Amino acid sequence: MNWYLKVLKQYVDFNGRARRQEFWMFVLFNMIIGVVLSVIDSVIGTGSLIGGLYSLAVLLPSLGVSVRRLHDIGKSGWNCLWAFLPIVGAILLLVWCAKDGQPGDNQWGPNPKA
């Protein structure tokens, strides 16, 4: 949960690097919260109002951690745009986000593992 809160505190921070653990823990908690809110929406009959508002609220933190994750592997944050390419883009981003970060410093900052 600390990783999730760390990303939320860096709300629109697109600078620096994010470790794999930071990225994937954010994704995990984001999915868990999304499922819980979907169940709540279904139970109280609001369609997808609460889940939609939550998704909108975490849009910028999600983009921020994704850009920082790409920086960690030495790629530009603009590579997030590959997500708009059906299937191939999602697979490419998944592979990149699963890669280990570059050792040492790169143009986006020091290694967050160090």
Side-chain angles (χ1 to χ4, degrees), residues 1-112:
M1 187 69 160
N2 290 335
W3 292 107
Y4 179 79
L5 296 174
K6 179 181 183 287
V7 170
L8 291 182
K9 287 177 187 173
Q10 293 179 299
Y11 193 71
V12 289
D13 184 10
F14 296 97
N15 298 315
R17 297 167 64 172
R19 297 175 58 181
R20 274 187 300 189
Q21 184 176 11
E22 177 183 349
F23 176 80
W24 289 111
M25 292 304 283
F26 178 78
V27 169
L28 174 67
F29 279 101
N30 205 19
M31 290 178 72
I32 291 169
I33 292 169
V35 167
V36 169
L37 291 177
S38 293
V39 169
I40 292 171
D41 274 334
S42 296
V43 169
I44 63 176
T46 57
S48 61
L49 178 67
I50 298 171
L53 290 174
Y54 172 75
S55 296
L56 189 60
V58 296
L59 176 65
L60 289 177
S62 298
L63 286 173
V65 75
S66 297
V67 166
R68 291 193 313 273
R69 180 70 202 123
L70 288 171
H71 287 173
D72 192 42
I73 62 166
K75 304 241 181 253
S76 168
W78 288 103
N79 282 297
C80 282
L81 295 176
W82 283 102
F84 292 112
L85 186 64
I87 302 170
V88 174
I91 292 170
L92 184 61
L93 287 172
L94 180 67
V95 169
W96 283 344
C97 288
K99 282 179 65 174
D100 194 16
Q102 286 183 331
D105 297 350
N106 68 15
Q107 70 188 68
W108 289 282
N111 188 348

